[in-house]
Amino acid sequence: MADSAQTDAVLTGSLFSYDSVRLFDPSTEIRLLDLHPASSDTDNLSGYIYTVPISQTPSYIALSYVWGDSTRTHEISVVNEVNDGRGAFVTLRLTTSLDTCLRHLRELQRRWQLEPLPLWIDQICINQEDDEEKSYQVLLMKDIYSSAHQVIVWLGPAADDSDKVMDAFAGIGQELLDKIGDHTTEEQWLSIDRLIEKNIEQPGVVAFLRKAYKLVYVLKRDGYFARWQKRSWFTRVWTIQEFCLCSDTVFACGYKVVPEKFVSAVIDFANCVVMDRCLRERLETPDTPTFCILAASFLKLQLLFQRRVHCQYPNAKETLEHLLVELFAGSTRFYATNQRDKVYGVLGLAGDADELGIRPDYSTSTTNAQVFTQTARAIIQKKWKTQRVRGLYILRYGSLGQRNSAQPGEVMSSTKNEMELPSWVPEWDNEMNKTYVGTTSFSACGKFKTADLVSTSSPTILGVRGFCVDTIVDLGERAPADHLGTRDGPKKIVGFFDSVKRLLKMSKQNKCAKNIYASTSHHDAALWRVPIGDQYVAYGVGQQRSKRTDSKLESVYRNFIAHYEDYASREGDWHDYITAHNAGDKQVNLATEMHMDELLAEGYYMALRYMEGKRPYLTKNGYLGMGPGHCQPGDEVVVFHGDTIPYVVRSVPEKGDNMYLLMGEAYCDGIMDGELADTAEREDFYLI
């Protein structure tokens, strides 16, 4: 097909028009590109574009890449069919990134003498100026990438020693599969730890793992992995779906190509070392003294491979809600030029996409706020079959609850966000914090485990039934952000806990609080339980519900606070430490890593990090808790039917009766096990 078109075509100098290769049914047809070979890298790009039904495609390669600057400053000559059956070369404009990519792919095909396959590339195969066609084609993305013979992830030209990283992935990954086994089968589920445990006593395995660990450690320590992962491909929303859907996916960087299975093996191995102290002690050497440097090395890659596993096995499909939370809440960052693509870009991975009824809509008459509101409401109204209290989970990420701009003592100047979303609708922006609730089994709603929705006059208002716990009357300091490496870190930690002590003292003076706490010791324990939401988080173990009278955890807190009280009293020593740390002092950095190992192992540090930005509060009747950073006296702590935790809301009487802003999720000591669920008076809350 490509050869005949190339032979018969003549150069015209005209610009390509998609009318000449029209999709008569964009919901069932796609375009493909045959890229013509060339004798050198400098030859002009040329090819042939044609249409095929998605159900009858030949073997083709789908490209996953990043547009970069959308200005089309390069070109490819493509054959434009005309009525007499002959063709003519016309010009189709390309971005710089795609021009570079196509030249590299063409050269790889020449070097390896590969038979070229048709390509599917969104920039070429979709008319980007036709919103209607684009909406249909986006809905086909799942089929386009899952039907491809192969997906090539193009990371860009070789740079910043990327060849060393690609070679490490290829070498270690191949040997891991040879010596340990295939960790990507459905039985293993990316659990290389079981394969290591099974095969570690085989000849040469420990020596290889120690060598592999050292290489991974050095590449991370010296910044090679960090520079490789800074490439734009790792930040874009659409690349997630593109990476996950095809069974044969490869990474291409410069002229190096590595199967995703090799990369996955290395990432899973590094994670296994972090999580398994026994294995770590067996592999560590004086040259690799601590695992802390690996702990957060591959968070984004781990997220990608986890999504891929869920996608490859039909019984493991994720819900859209879970995908959005995993991808946009926390320390990872994914971006989209068009904000609604944060939803549309992952629909193909969602097992409940059809049930939710969300369809891509790029028309100018539909706003991003409407798309996000429709998505949130569809998730809340979904009939959750097995997770009975899951329906309102998404409220933990409401747009207003995720705003942390107001400082303690300040009143928020505005309750609107950029898209003017309702307070209960997640914005899915790039500054979202994950909920503080892990695997902990809270049950503030008691027996009312199903969301009780109330009809409203507008899709932007969410009506829910529940009960009010109490009204906030006083607040403490915010739970500090990561305090290691900051000059005032110890003072912030100490100041935060001093404010908790102050609120605790006031609570103990409140006669009503005797109905909340069974004993004085139980009340005293709120000092260390409330700041961490009654959860103990040990890195590598997950989150566990802490026992309220756990003397071991109390001693962990005592050690934790004593460390920072000591440094706060020796401010000059801490400043010297920070100066040396920032200057790259190896001994100081090693000491920092050792200290981090200890903090992560003890768990209180990680538990407090989950509360970052939240403020301790005291209610009228003596309840103690943690609420959004911008809550203020007069806000109410409430529980909705169908959710396991309380929220803070703010009355807006000028909007009508029972109208509230959802300020954000909360923890409230003494109600988390449903203590008020049976006796509290029921109310209707209208969230705006």
Side-chain angles (χ1 to χ4, degrees), residues 288-326:
T288 58
T290 175
F291 83 99
C292 178
I293 198 169
L294 292 178
S297 301
F298 305 109
L299 288 179
K300 189 162 286 189
L301 278 169
Q302 285 174 325
L303 273 176
L304 290 173
F305 283 113
Q306 287 167 0
R307 306 288 78 73
R308 182 174 171 84
V309 167
H310 284 289
C311 189
Q312 292 296 312
Y313 302 120
N315 293 332
K317 290 286 187 180
E318 296 178 278
T319 63
L320 178 61
E321 175 210 67
H322 189 259
L323 280 165
L324 292 171
V325 169
E326 288 297 303

mmCIF file of all heavy atoms in Angstrom, residues 288-326:
data_model
loop_
_atom_site.group_PDB
_atom_site.id
_atom_site.type_symbol
_atom_site.label_atom_id
_atom_site.label_comp_id
_atom_site.label_asym_id
_atom_site.label_seq_id
_atom_site.Cartn_x
_atom_site.Cartn_y
_atom_site.Cartn_z
ATOM 1 N N THR A 288 26.380 0.635 50.039
ATOM 2 C CA THR A 288 24.935 0.922 49.957
ATOM 3 C C THR A 288 24.364 0.839 51.365
ATOM 4 O O THR A 288 23.641 -0.099 51.697
ATOM 5 C CB THR A 288 24.230 -0.085 49.031
ATOM 6 O OG1 THR A 288 24.458 -1.416 49.530
ATOM 7 C CG2 THR A 288 24.763 0.012 47.617
ATOM 8 N N PRO A 289 24.656 1.822 52.211
ATOM 9 C CA PRO A 289 24.389 1.690 53.640
ATOM 10 C C PRO A 289 22.946 1.850 54.079
ATOM 11 O O PRO A 289 22.609 1.511 55.198
ATOM 12 C CB PRO A 289 25.238 2.813 54.244
ATOM 13 C CG PRO A 289 25.274 3.857 53.161
ATOM 14 C CD PRO A 289 25.306 3.081 51.882
ATOM 15 N N THR A 290 22.081 2.390 53.266
ATOM 16 C CA THR A 290 20.724 2.664 53.728
ATOM 17 C C THR A 290 19.740 2.585 52.578
ATOM 18 O O THR A 290 20.078 2.881 51.430
ATOM 19 C CB THR A 290 20.633 4.055 54.378
ATOM 20 O OG1 THR A 290 19.272 4.319 54.713
ATOM 21 C CG2 THR A 290 21.106 5.139 53.439
ATOM 22 N N PHE A 291 18.529 2.191 52.872
ATOM 23 C CA PHE A 291 17.515 2.075 51.837
ATOM 24 C C PHE A 291 16.731 3.359 51.627
ATOM 25 O O PHE A 291 15.983 3.485 50.666
ATOM 26 C CB PHE A 291 16.528 0.954 52.202
ATOM 27 C CG PHE A 291 15.443 1.365 53.143
ATOM 28 C CD1 PHE A 291 14.177 1.681 52.676
ATOM 29 C CD2 PHE A 291 15.670 1.455 54.507
ATOM 30 C CE1 PHE A 291 13.170 2.058 53.542
ATOM 31 C CE2 PHE A 291 14.673 1.827 55.372
ATOM 32 C CZ PHE A 291 13.411 2.127 54.894
ATOM 33 N N CYS A 292 16.875 4.328 52.526
ATOM 34 C CA CYS A 292 16.034 5.521 52.483
ATOM 35 C C CYS A 292 16.098 6.217 51.134
ATOM 36 O O CYS A 292 15.110 6.741 50.637
ATOM 37 C CB CYS A 292 16.440 6.493 53.589
ATOM 38 S SG CYS A 292 15.499 8.024 53.574
ATOM 39 N N ILE A 293 17.269 6.190 50.512
ATOM 40 C CA ILE A 293 17.449 6.895 49.250
ATOM 41 C C ILE A 293 16.590 6.281 48.151
ATOM 42 O O ILE A 293 16.273 6.919 47.159
ATOM 43 C CB ILE A 293 18.943 6.890 48.848
ATOM 44 C CG1 ILE A 293 19.225 7.966 47.790
ATOM 45 C CG2 ILE A 293 19.388 5.522 48.351
ATOM 46 C CD1 ILE A 293 20.688 8.205 47.547
ATOM 47 N N LEU A 294 16.186 5.015 48.324
ATOM 48 C CA LEU A 294 15.350 4.354 47.328
ATOM 49 C C LEU A 294 13.861 4.477 47.619
ATOM 50 O O LEU A 294 13.042 4.184 46.767
ATOM 51 C CB LEU A 294 15.699 2.860 47.250
ATOM 52 C CG LEU A 294 17.072 2.481 46.683
ATOM 53 C CD1 LEU A 294 17.234 0.974 46.739
ATOM 54 C CD2 LEU A 294 17.242 2.978 45.271
ATOM 55 N N ALA A 295 13.505 4.914 48.826
ATOM 56 C CA ALA A 295 12.122 4.823 49.287
ATOM 57 C C ALA A 295 11.136 5.514 48.356
ATOM 58 O O ALA A 295 10.048 5.016 48.110
ATOM 59 C CB ALA A 295 12.009 5.383 50.699
ATOM 60 N N ALA A 296 11.480 6.686 47.854
ATOM 61 C CA ALA A 296 10.557 7.435 46.990
ATOM 62 C C ALA A 296 11.103 7.568 45.574
ATOM 63 O O ALA A 296 10.761 8.495 44.854
ATOM 64 C CB ALA A 296 10.302 8.817 47.585
ATOM 65 N N SER A 297 11.938 6.615 45.152
ATOM 66 C CA SER A 297 12.635 6.744 43.873
ATOM 67 C C SER A 297 11.717 6.620 42.672
ATOM 68 O O SER A 297 11.879 7.318 41.679
ATOM 69 C CB SER A 297 13.732 5.676 43.768
ATOM 70 O OG SER A 297 14.649 5.786 44.810
ATOM 71 N N PHE A 298 10.761 5.717 42.747
ATOM 72 C CA PHE A 298 10.004 5.364 41.548
ATOM 73 C C PHE A 298 8.495 5.424 41.781
ATOM 74 O O PHE A 298 7.750 4.603 41.260
ATOM 75 C CB PHE A 298 10.395 3.963 41.085
ATOM 76 C CG PHE A 298 11.864 3.773 40.862
ATOM 77 C CD1 PHE A 298 12.619 2.998 41.720
ATOM 78 C CD2 PHE A 298 12.491 4.372 39.785
ATOM 79 C CE1 PHE A 298 13.976 2.815 41.517
ATOM 80 C CE2 PHE A 298 13.846 4.199 39.567
ATOM 81 C CZ PHE A 298 14.600 3.424 40.429
ATOM 82 N N LEU A 299 8.036 6.408 42.572
ATOM 83 C CA LEU A 299 6.614 6.473 42.902
ATOM 84 C C LEU A 299 5.748 6.552 41.652
ATOM 85 O O LEU A 299 4.724 5.876 41.534
ATOM 86 C CB LEU A 299 6.344 7.674 43.809
ATOM 87 C CG LEU A 299 6.850 7.564 45.249
ATOM 88 C CD1 LEU A 299 6.534 8.841 46.011
ATOM 89 C CD2 LEU A 299 6.228 6.366 45.953
ATOM 90 N N LYS A 300 6.148 7.404 40.703
ATOM 91 C CA LYS A 300 5.326 7.576 39.509
ATOM 92 C C LYS A 300 5.354 6.322 38.638
ATOM 93 O O LYS A 300 4.313 5.897 38.106
ATOM 94 C CB LYS A 300 5.806 8.800 38.722
ATOM 95 C CG LYS A 300 4.882 9.179 37.579
ATOM 96 C CD LYS A 300 5.123 10.591 37.099
ATOM 97 C CE LYS A 300 4.581 11.615 38.055
ATOM 98 N NZ LYS A 300 4.625 12.987 37.507
ATOM 99 N N LEU A 301 6.518 5.705 38.502
ATOM 100 C CA LEU A 301 6.592 4.476 37.727
ATOM 101 C C LEU A 301 5.799 3.358 38.395
ATOM 102 O O LEU A 301 5.145 2.557 37.720
ATOM 103 C CB LEU A 301 8.053 4.055 37.554
ATOM 104 C CG LEU A 301 8.813 4.762 36.428
ATOM 105 C CD1 LEU A 301 10.301 4.480 36.524
ATOM 106 C CD2 LEU A 301 8.286 4.333 35.068
ATOM 107 N N GLN A 302 5.858 3.299 39.713
ATOM 108 C CA GLN A 302 5.064 2.295 40.422
ATOM 109 C C GLN A 302 3.580 2.497 40.159
ATOM 110 O O GLN A 302 2.833 1.527 39.930
ATOM 111 C CB GLN A 302 5.345 2.355 41.924
ATOM 112 C CG GLN A 302 6.676 1.765 42.324
ATOM 113 C CD GLN A 302 6.988 1.984 43.795
ATOM 114 O OE1 GLN A 302 6.631 3.013 44.365
ATOM 115 N NE2 GLN A 302 7.643 1.038 44.412
ATOM 116 N N LEU A 303 3.131 3.758 40.177
ATOM 117 C CA LEU A 303 1.735 4.048 39.867
ATOM 118 C C LEU A 303 1.370 3.563 38.469
ATOM 119 O O LEU A 303 0.312 2.970 38.249
ATOM 120 C CB LEU A 303 1.478 5.551 39.971
ATOM 121 C CG LEU A 303 1.107 6.109 41.338
ATOM 122 C CD1 LEU A 303 0.983 7.624 41.261
ATOM 123 C CD2 LEU A 303 -0.198 5.512 41.833
ATOM 124 N N LEU A 304 2.253 3.814 37.499
ATOM 125 C CA LEU A 304 1.984 3.414 36.124
ATOM 126 C C LEU A 304 1.884 1.893 36.005
ATOM 127 O O LEU A 304 0.967 1.370 35.369
ATOM 128 C CB LEU A 304 3.077 3.950 35.197
ATOM 129 C CG LEU A 304 3.096 5.461 34.977
ATOM 130 C CD1 LEU A 304 4.320 5.870 34.180
ATOM 131 C CD2 LEU A 304 1.833 5.910 34.260
ATOM 132 N N PHE A 305 2.818 1.187 36.612
ATOM 133 C CA PHE A 305 2.811 -0.267 36.496
ATOM 134 C C PHE A 305 1.643 -0.887 37.262
ATOM 135 O O PHE A 305 1.090 -1.909 36.839
ATOM 136 C CB PHE A 305 4.147 -0.844 36.968
ATOM 137 C CG PHE A 305 5.246 -0.690 35.949
ATOM 138 C CD1 PHE A 305 6.328 0.137 36.171
ATOM 139 C CD2 PHE A 305 5.178 -1.367 34.738
ATOM 140 C CE1 PHE A 305 7.331 0.298 35.229
ATOM 141 C CE2 PHE A 305 6.175 -1.220 33.785
ATOM 142 C CZ PHE A 305 7.258 -0.392 34.028
ATOM 143 N N GLN A 306 1.256 -0.281 38.375
ATOM 144 C CA GLN A 306 0.071 -0.768 39.082
ATOM 145 C C GLN A 306 -1.169 -0.622 38.217
ATOM 146 O O GLN A 306 -2.020 -1.515 38.151
ATOM 147 C CB GLN A 306 -0.105 -0.011 40.394
ATOM 148 C CG GLN A 306 0.910 -0.390 41.461
ATOM 149 C CD GLN A 306 0.917 0.577 42.623
ATOM 150 O OE1 GLN A 306 0.158 1.548 42.644
ATOM 151 N NE2 GLN A 306 1.779 0.334 43.596
ATOM 152 N N ARG A 307 -1.299 0.530 37.528
ATOM 153 C CA ARG A 307 -2.428 0.729 36.637
ATOM 154 C C ARG A 307 -2.393 -0.294 35.501
ATOM 155 O O ARG A 307 -3.421 -0.807 35.070
ATOM 156 C CB ARG A 307 -2.399 2.142 36.034
ATOM 157 C CG ARG A 307 -2.320 3.290 36.994
ATOM 158 C CD ARG A 307 -3.569 3.561 37.764
ATOM 159 N NE ARG A 307 -3.831 2.687 38.868
ATOM 160 C CZ ARG A 307 -3.175 2.694 40.049
ATOM 161 N NH1 ARG A 307 -2.182 3.530 40.260
ATOM 162 N NH2 ARG A 307 -3.523 1.881 41.023
ATOM 163 N N ARG A 308 -1.202 -0.576 35.021
ATOM 164 C CA ARG A 308 -1.064 -1.524 33.907
ATOM 165 C C ARG A 308 -1.501 -2.928 34.315
ATOM 166 O O ARG A 308 -2.181 -3.625 33.555
ATOM 167 C CB ARG A 308 0.391 -1.530 33.429
ATOM 168 C CG ARG A 308 0.645 -2.450 32.238
ATOM 169 C CD ARG A 308 2.063 -2.317 31.709
ATOM 170 N NE ARG A 308 2.324 -3.357 30.724
ATOM 171 C CZ ARG A 308 1.982 -3.268 29.442
ATOM 172 N NH1 ARG A 308 1.387 -2.175 28.996
ATOM 173 N NH2 ARG A 308 2.235 -4.252 28.600
ATOM 174 N N VAL A 309 -1.132 -3.344 35.514
ATOM 175 C CA VAL A 309 -1.550 -4.658 36.006
ATOM 176 C C VAL A 309 -3.071 -4.736 36.077
ATOM 177 O O VAL A 309 -3.686 -5.702 35.617
ATOM 178 C CB VAL A 309 -0.938 -4.941 37.395
ATOM 179 C CG1 VAL A 309 -1.609 -6.148 38.036
ATOM 180 C CG2 VAL A 309 0.555 -5.197 37.272
ATOM 181 N N HIS A 310 -3.692 -3.708 36.666
ATOM 182 C CA HIS A 310 -5.154 -3.685 36.759
ATOM 183 C C HIS A 310 -5.795 -3.745 35.377
ATOM 184 O O HIS A 310 -6.854 -4.361 35.194
ATOM 185 C CB HIS A 310 -5.616 -2.425 37.479
ATOM 186 C CG HIS A 310 -5.430 -2.475 38.963
ATOM 187 N ND1 HIS A 310 -6.189 -3.282 39.780
ATOM 188 C CD2 HIS A 310 -4.570 -1.823 39.790
ATOM 189 C CE1 HIS A 310 -5.810 -3.136 41.037
ATOM 190 N NE2 HIS A 310 -4.838 -2.254 41.074
ATOM 191 N N CYS A 311 -5.152 -3.105 34.414
ATOM 192 C CA CYS A 311 -5.725 -3.030 33.070
ATOM 193 C C CYS A 311 -5.572 -4.346 32.309
ATOM 194 O O CYS A 311 -6.446 -4.732 31.541
ATOM 195 C CB CYS A 311 -5.035 -1.900 32.301
ATOM 196 S SG CYS A 311 -5.802 -1.529 30.729
ATOM 197 N N GLN A 312 -4.458 -5.032 32.517
ATOM 198 C CA GLN A 312 -4.179 -6.246 31.758
ATOM 199 C C GLN A 312 -5.047 -7.422 32.187
ATOM 200 O O GLN A 312 -5.259 -8.347 31.414
ATOM 201 C CB GLN A 312 -2.700 -6.612 31.895
ATOM 202 C CG GLN A 312 -1.748 -5.633 31.222
ATOM 203 C CD GLN A 312 -1.926 -5.588 29.704
ATOM 204 O OE1 GLN A 312 -1.985 -6.618 29.042
ATOM 205 N NE2 GLN A 312 -2.028 -4.382 29.159
ATOM 206 N N TYR A 313 -5.529 -7.385 33.439
ATOM 207 C CA TYR A 313 -6.329 -8.501 33.934
ATOM 208 C C TYR A 313 -7.759 -8.032 34.182
ATOM 209 O O TYR A 313 -8.015 -7.212 35.067
ATOM 210 C CB TYR A 313 -5.719 -9.066 35.215
ATOM 211 C CG TYR A 313 -4.295 -9.531 35.008
ATOM 212 C CD1 TYR A 313 -3.244 -8.974 35.725
ATOM 213 C CD2 TYR A 313 -4.009 -10.503 34.054
ATOM 214 C CE1 TYR A 313 -1.938 -9.376 35.513
ATOM 215 C CE2 TYR A 313 -2.707 -10.911 33.836
ATOM 216 C CZ TYR A 313 -1.675 -10.358 34.561
ATOM 217 O OH TYR A 313 -0.388 -10.766 34.336
ATOM 218 N N PRO A 314 -8.718 -8.528 33.384
ATOM 219 C CA PRO A 314 -10.103 -8.031 33.426
ATOM 220 C C PRO A 314 -10.733 -8.043 34.811
ATOM 221 O O PRO A 314 -11.531 -7.172 35.142
ATOM 222 C CB PRO A 314 -10.834 -8.992 32.477
ATOM 223 C CG PRO A 314 -9.770 -9.518 31.556
ATOM 224 C CD PRO A 314 -8.533 -9.604 32.388
ATOM 225 N N ASN A 315 -10.394 -9.021 35.635
ATOM 226 C CA ASN A 315 -11.016 -9.112 36.960
ATOM 227 C C ASN A 315 -10.461 -8.095 37.942
ATOM 228 O O ASN A 315 -10.919 -8.014 39.084
ATOM 229 C CB ASN A 315 -10.831 -10.520 37.524
ATOM 230 C CG ASN A 315 -11.594 -11.564 36.729
ATOM 231 O OD1 ASN A 315 -12.620 -11.257 36.127
ATOM 232 N ND2 ASN A 315 -11.082 -12.788 36.708
ATOM 233 N N ALA A 316 -9.457 -7.327 37.512
ATOM 234 C CA ALA A 316 -8.810 -6.373 38.421
ATOM 235 C C ALA A 316 -9.064 -4.924 38.018
ATOM 236 O O ALA A 316 -8.355 -4.025 38.451
ATOM 237 C CB ALA A 316 -7.308 -6.639 38.464
ATOM 238 N N LYS A 317 -10.049 -4.677 37.186
ATOM 239 C CA LYS A 317 -10.318 -3.326 36.699
ATOM 240 C C LYS A 317 -10.590 -2.363 37.854
ATOM 241 O O LYS A 317 -11.259 -2.708 38.829
ATOM 242 C CB LYS A 317 -11.525 -3.330 35.763
ATOM 243 C CG LYS A 317 -11.272 -4.022 34.427
ATOM 244 C CD LYS A 317 -10.406 -3.194 33.516
ATOM 245 C CE LYS A 317 -10.310 -3.811 32.125
ATOM 246 N NZ LYS A 317 -9.473 -3.011 31.224
ATOM 247 N N GLU A 318 -10.082 -1.148 37.733
ATOM 248 C CA GLU A 318 -10.274 -0.113 38.747
ATOM 249 C C GLU A 318 -11.478 0.751 38.413
ATOM 250 O O GLU A 318 -11.843 0.919 37.251
ATOM 251 C CB GLU A 318 -9.032 0.776 38.830
ATOM 252 C CG GLU A 318 -7.785 0.059 39.286
ATOM 253 C CD GLU A 318 -6.585 0.975 39.289
ATOM 254 O OE1 GLU A 318 -5.988 1.158 38.216
ATOM 255 O OE2 GLU A 318 -6.244 1.516 40.349
ATOM 256 N N THR A 319 -12.079 1.332 39.438
ATOM 257 C CA THR A 319 -13.158 2.285 39.212
ATOM 258 C C THR A 319 -12.558 3.627 38.811
ATOM 259 O O THR A 319 -11.380 3.912 39.076
ATOM 260 C CB THR A 319 -14.000 2.480 40.477
ATOM 261 O OG1 THR A 319 -13.167 3.049 41.517
ATOM 262 C CG2 THR A 319 -14.581 1.159 40.957
ATOM 263 N N LEU A 320 -13.353 4.462 38.167
ATOM 264 C CA LEU A 320 -12.881 5.785 37.783
ATOM 265 C C LEU A 320 -12.489 6.594 39.016
ATOM 266 O O LEU A 320 -11.478 7.296 39.015
ATOM 267 C CB LEU A 320 -13.974 6.519 36.994
ATOM 268 C CG LEU A 320 -13.619 7.954 36.557
ATOM 269 C CD1 LEU A 320 -12.400 7.963 35.640
ATOM 270 C CD2 LEU A 320 -14.813 8.616 35.875
ATOM 271 N N GLU A 321 -13.274 6.474 40.076
ATOM 272 C CA GLU A 321 -12.962 7.201 41.310
ATOM 273 C C GLU A 321 -11.577 6.819 41.831
ATOM 274 O O GLU A 321 -10.763 7.675 42.177
ATOM 275 C CB GLU A 321 -14.004 6.892 42.375
ATOM 276 C CG GLU A 321 -13.696 7.500 43.727
ATOM 277 C CD GLU A 321 -14.243 6.660 44.857
ATOM 278 O OE1 GLU A 321 -13.757 5.533 45.074
ATOM 279 O OE2 GLU A 321 -15.154 7.130 45.519
ATOM 280 N N HIS A 322 -11.287 5.542 41.876
ATOM 281 C CA HIS A 322 -10.000 5.072 42.385
ATOM 282 C C HIS A 322 -8.863 5.556 41.500
ATOM 283 O O HIS A 322 -7.800 5.969 41.989
ATOM 284 C CB HIS A 322 -10.000 3.547 42.469
ATOM 285 C CG HIS A 322 -8.811 2.986 43.187
ATOM 286 N ND1 HIS A 322 -7.736 2.447 42.526
ATOM 287 C CD2 HIS A 322 -8.520 2.907 44.510
ATOM 288 C CE1 HIS A 322 -6.833 2.045 43.413
ATOM 289 N NE2 HIS A 322 -7.283 2.316 44.615
ATOM 290 N N LEU A 323 -9.060 5.535 40.191
ATOM 291 C CA LEU A 323 -8.042 6.019 39.262
ATOM 292 C C LEU A 323 -7.740 7.494 39.493
ATOM 293 O O LEU A 323 -6.572 7.906 39.568
ATOM 294 C CB LEU A 323 -8.510 5.806 37.821
ATOM 295 C CG LEU A 323 -8.358 4.399 37.250
ATOM 296 C CD1 LEU A 323 -9.185 4.257 35.978
ATOM 297 C CD2 LEU A 323 -6.898 4.089 36.957
ATOM 298 N N LEU A 324 -8.773 8.303 39.601
ATOM 299 C CA LEU A 324 -8.587 9.736 39.786
ATOM 300 C C LEU A 324 -7.856 10.033 41.090
ATOM 301 O O LEU A 324 -6.955 10.882 41.131
ATOM 302 C CB LEU A 324 -9.944 10.451 39.759
ATOM 303 C CG LEU A 324 -10.667 10.453 38.407
ATOM 304 C CD1 LEU A 324 -12.091 10.988 38.559
ATOM 305 C CD2 LEU A 324 -9.908 11.279 37.377
ATOM 306 N N VAL A 325 -8.215 9.336 42.145
ATOM 307 C CA VAL A 325 -7.560 9.552 43.439
ATOM 308 C C VAL A 325 -6.098 9.137 43.377
ATOM 309 O O VAL A 325 -5.205 9.860 43.821
ATOM 310 C CB VAL A 325 -8.298 8.785 44.553
ATOM 311 C CG1 VAL A 325 -7.476 8.783 45.834
ATOM 312 C CG2 VAL A 325 -9.664 9.402 44.809
ATOM 313 N N GLU A 326 -5.827 7.963 42.817
ATOM 314 C CA GLU A 326 -4.456 7.459 42.768
ATOM 315 C C GLU A 326 -3.554 8.337 41.911
ATOM 316 O O GLU A 326 -2.365 8.503 42.204
ATOM 317 C CB GLU A 326 -4.452 6.023 42.222
ATOM 318 C CG GLU A 326 -5.012 4.999 43.182
ATOM 319 C CD GLU A 326 -4.170 4.898 44.452
ATOM 320 O OE1 GLU A 326 -2.971 4.622 44.350
ATOM 321 O OE2 GLU A 326 -4.730 5.118 45.548
#
